[in-house]
Amino acid sequence: MQIMKVDPRALKENPDRMRQTKSSPQADALMLATIKAVGIVQPPVVAPQTDGGNGYIIDAGHRRVRLAIAAGLDEIEILVADAANDNGAMRSMVENSVREPLTPVDQWRGIERLVALGWTEEAIAVALALPVRQIRELRLLANVLPAMLEQMALGDMPSEQQLRIIAAAAQVDQKEVWKAHKPKKGDTAPWWQIANALTKKRMYARDASFGDDLAQAYGIEWVEDLFAPADQDGRYTTNVEGFLGAQHEWMTSNLPKRGAIVEVNSWGQPELPKKASQVYGKPSKSDHTALYLDRDGKVQTVHYRMPEVAKPKGAADDGSSAGSNSNAVAPPKIRPDVTQKGHDMIGDFRTDALHDALGRAPIEDDMLMALMVLAFAGQNVRVDSGADGTFYGGKRFSRHAVRLFDEHGKLAFDQDTLRVAVRSVLIDVLSCRRGMSNSGMVSRIAGEAIGADEYLPNMGSEEFLLCLSRQALEASCGEASVQPRSKVRETRAALVEHFANEHFVHPAGRFAPPADELLDWIRAGAATDVIGSGGHEDDDGHGEDLGEQQEVHAGEKRDHDDPQDVDVGSEGEHDQDFDQRAAA
């Protein structure tokens, strides 16, 4: 380097200088007073122009040159350095970093300039003595709204986690949130509120039990978390609905023997069946397994034990009553083929199979449209969804409708996008679950139309077979070529063993509705169409007989109100609640 004197007005500013954030008026006033009193203590560093000119470009000292001109100095000393092949980018950044720390925004601009010149993140980190993680964090600023960058350039920076959330959001979302939370002049920004408004829940690949096939089927795209530990799978998705759907399908396909999928309560704990006690030690062969999704969407497993069914007083092993009057004629007790709990389970089986079929089975476009009409003719169009709780149309369905619009708000979509949207709406609407979310006849018609029977799980489990009467069990034995036993529990055990390696679906669980009920539903719908808005009729046109509906709801109320309503088919072969009604 050589020292020489020049007119500060002849020096040219470097367009690639690192420090672009303006200094405060107080700092400028202090330096100006110092220059007027003692001159420039440390000469600015300049380099010859590389574009063919004869002048000099400032590498370091733009502020000193500017204030020397303001002080009216005709000449100042400068240090002339050799021209750098990166136009002094690294030299300027190092000099500014040592003199006074650059703001994170200026650091980011310098890093991007160096990257554009061919520097790697690792090389920049070594040259600046900074961790590579910090270099990558600063590069997140490239995804930040310019208006937010201006606030950050003032030294008002969010935390690393807040910056990651902001940078991961779309610019249009950042603009909307910044408009709502923009601070007044001189105030700091409420970054925690901004980050909270832009937060999207992340579901991590390391918590997924499903494989790539289900990920693709549910439209899950993994994004790499650059800040995850090196030894940890940092991939994640914000498609929470798709992740949970894939997890649920995996659980359905991988249920163990005596297994069931359960919901969780508001504390995130599994809701086990009534009277069940959780097993905290090593489970026995007779214990049950419950699968559920925790708050992170991870599949969890617990084991539970059901209490042994008490024998009626005086009952012998063969089902007869010891010491009873042999001359007394007991009234016949006829148990229904399937109990209320059995119908509840069938409703869940049908719904899950229907949703699987709607998501994966080949369905023609015209059939999809017909199913859509059927879905909104269901009993549950409030909508009480069998897939995700209760909601009221509009806002819920808008998440599917927005897929059909382009960035300019125009209705524009391809056939694949339309199919995904229609399938999603059908999954939200159609349900066979018992209670408020039951779509009634239409869900069974839809399930039969798309072959959802093929997606029904194996009903040859101990839990479901406990819901069948003796005559229903013996009928199942005939279909499976299993010899009925003298005791019901032995017959059931034989069926459980037989169906362990075969797929069993009880006839009552299939989707095809009885022909007479279907015709009644069609006639009721036709009558409603004829009567129109000016007429009146007692039947509301929903798919099932009113008496049957009342019986179902009465049964549900009884299930909730009477804690003794349990199935005792292993010995007594009759539900206690049914026995009580029969005796009455």
Side-chain angles (χ1 to χ4, degrees):
M1 289 188 180
Q2 66 179 91
I3 298 178
M4 60 184 298
K5 290 187 176 182
V6 297
D7 185 343
R9 298 165 187 81
L11 300 176
K12 296 182 180 180
E13 291 190 350
N14 188 340
D16 297 324
R17 66 183 182 276
M18 295 301 104
R19 193 186 300 276
Q20 296 190 17
T21 304
K22 293 182 179 180
S23 54
S24 65
Q26 295 83 357
D28 283 352
L30 179 61
M31 178 174 279
L32 180 60
T34 302
I35 292 175
K36 287 181 178 180
V38 299
I40 295 180
V41 177
Q42 182 176 348
V45 179
V46 302
Q49 287 183 254
T50 58
D51 56 1
N54 297 322
Y56 296 96
I57 295 178
I58 304 170
D59 268 357
H62 290 80
R63 182 164 166 252
R64 281 167 277 164
V65 172
R66 174 169 57 83
L67 293 177
I69 295 173
L73 300 183
D74 294 328
E75 282 186 332
I76 61 171
E77 287 186 341
I78 59 172
L79 283 172
V80 182
D82 296 333
N85 57 8
D86 61 359
N87 204 22
M90 178 55 77
R91 186 163 58 200
S92 174
M93 187 167 188
V94 171
E95 193 273 343
N96 276 284
S97 298
V98 173
R99 178 174 297 278
E100 180 182 352
L102 292 166
T103 68
V105 176
D106 282 339
Q107 281 184 309
W108 160 65
R109 287 172 177 148
I111 290 169
E112 292 302 320
R113 172 65 179 164
L114 293 170
V115 170
L117 291 169
W119 287 71
T120 65
E121 292 177 345
E122 290 74 14
I124 296 172
V126 171
L128 299 180
L130 294 174
V132 176
R133 178 189 178 92
Q134 186 173 344
I135 301 298
R136 290 175 177 170
E137 178 187 349
L138 289 169
R139 297 198 70 191
L140 289 174
L141 293 173
N143 303 321
V144 175
L145 187 73
M148 291 190 192
L149 280 177
E150 293 178 7
Q151 182 70 21
M152 295 178 189
L154 300 175
D156 181 16
M157 286 293 296
S159 67
E160 176 185 327
Q161 182 63 24
Q162 292 166 349
L163 178 58
R164 290 170 59 189
I165 293 172
I166 294 169
Q171 290 272 324
V172 63
D173 295 332
Q174 292 186 42
K175 185 175 182 180
E176 183 178 348
V177 171
W178 180 250
K179 183 178 180 181
H181 298 281
K182 183 179 180 181
K184 295 181 180 179
K185 189 174 182 180
D187 291 345
T188 58
W191 295 117
W192 67 273
Q193 291 182 348
I194 294 171
N196 188 56
L198 293 172
T199 296
K200 290 185 177 180
K201 184 171 178 60
R202 292 183 175 186
M203 310 303 288
Y204 286 90
R206 60 178 177 267
D207 294 332
S209 297
F210 56 86
D212 293 338
D213 53 342
L214 283 180
Q216 185 176 3
Y218 281 85
I220 297 171
E221 296 182 0
W222 300 115
V223 179
E224 191 70 38
D225 185 352
L226 300 178
F227 295 92
D231 59 345
Q232 189 178 86
D233 186 354
R235 294 175 301 153
Y236 69 90
T237 180
T238 55
N239 182 3
V240 177
E241 181 183 359
F243 184 94
L244 296 180
Q247 289 283 72
H248 194 277
E249 181 167 338
W250 182 89
M251 289 193 298
T252 302
S253 303
N254 292 273
L255 272 180
K257 186 178 181 180
R258 292 177 175 267
I261 299 174
V262 299
E263 301 295 330
V264 295
N265 58 26
S266 56
W267 293 279
Q269 299 300 315
E271 291 278 13
L272 299 178
K274 291 180 180 179
K275 298 187 178 182
S277 58
Q278 186 168 342
V279 177
Y280 295 97
K282 185 177 180 180
S284 64
K285 292 183 178 180
S286 61
D287 289 336
H288 300 261
T289 302
L291 301 183
Y292 68 96
L293 296 179
D294 63 16
R295 291 177 175 174
D296 295 324
K298 189 175 181 179
V299 176
Q300 300 289 357
T301 302
V302 296
H303 300 281
Y304 62 94
R305 185 169 298 152
M306 298 301 296
E308 293 185 4
V309 180
K311 297 179 181 179
K313 291 183 178 180
D317 288 342
D318 60 357
S320 63
S321 296
S324 61
N325 187 351
S326 58
N327 296 325
V329 179
K333 297 180 180 180
I334 303 175
R335 185 191 185 198
D337 284 350
V338 183
T339 65
Q340 296 289 334
K341 181 181 178 182
H343 281 296
D344 287 340
M345 294 176 67
I346 287 174
D348 288 345
F349 292 156
R350 282 177 178 161
T351 300
D352 294 338
L354 176 59
H355 290 177
D356 281 350
L358 286 170
R360 296 189 294 162
I363 309 173
E364 296 296 332
D365 291 347
D366 55 350
M367 178 60 74
L368 277 176
M369 300 307 171
L371 293 179
M372 181 68 76
V373 176
L374 276 175
F376 285 94
Q379 295 174 358
N380 58 327
V381 181
R382 192 177 72 177
V383 166
D384 297 288
S385 174
D388 196 14
T390 301
F391 52 86
Y392 294 85
K395 292 184 178 179
R396 173 71 177 196
F397 291 116
S398 63
R399 64 176 184 162
H400 306 310
V402 295
R403 300 174 179 173
L404 308 180
F405 291 82
D406 61 16
E407 58 184 357
H408 304 295
K410 300 294 185 182
L411 193 62
F413 55 86
D414 54 29
Q415 287 297 312
D416 289 338
T417 302
L418 175 62
R419 292 189 187 100
V420 170
V422 173
R423 286 176 186 258
S424 299
V425 171
L426 287 170
I427 289 173
D428 273 344
V429 174
L430 289 175
S431 169
C432 298
R433 303 194 196 281
R434 300 245 291 171
M436 290 297 294
S437 73
N438 190 356
S439 302
M441 181 67 69
V442 297
S443 61
R444 298 185 63 177
I445 297 172
E448 183 189 20
I450 63 175
D453 281 341
E454 297 298 323
Y455 295 84
L456 285 169
N458 184 9
M459 298 184 189
S461 64
E462 176 79 13
E463 186 178 12
F464 180 75
L465 293 179
L466 275 169
C467 301
L468 302 185
S469 64
R470 176 191 286 272
Q471 60 267 27
L473 285 172
E474 291 178 351
S476 300
C477 285
E479 295 178 6
S481 299
V482 173
Q483 185 66 32
R485 308 301 197 265
S486 58
K487 295 181 180 180
V488 170
R489 62 180 177 182
E490 295 176 355
T491 301
R492 183 167 48 250
L495 286 173
V496 170
E497 181 180 0
H498 176 79
F499 291 130
N501 300 317
E502 292 191 21
H503 193 82
F504 168 67
V505 175
H506 191 272
R510 298 191 180 277
F511 281 90
D516 55 343
E517 293 182 17
L518 177 58
L519 290 175
D520 289 343
W521 179 80
I522 294 172
R523 293 190 192 100
T528 302
D529 186 47
V530 170
I531 292 174
S533 59
H536 175 76
E537 62 174 350
D538 293 331
D539 192 349
D540 61 1
H542 298 321
E544 300 190 13
D545 181 77
L546 181 60
E548 181 183 343
Q549 291 289 330
Q550 292 172 339
E551 180 185 353
V552 168
H553 291 304
E556 289 171 351
K557 184 177 188 301
R558 200 162 44 243
D559 287 343
H560 290 294
D561 294 344
D562 185 5
Q564 301 301 320
D565 183 16
V566 295
D567 182 76
V568 291
S570 61
E571 289 290 349
E573 289 78 52
H574 296 283
D575 285 346
Q576 291 181 8
D577 65 326
F578 180 79
D579 289 347
Q580 294 165 1
R581 293 196 301 273

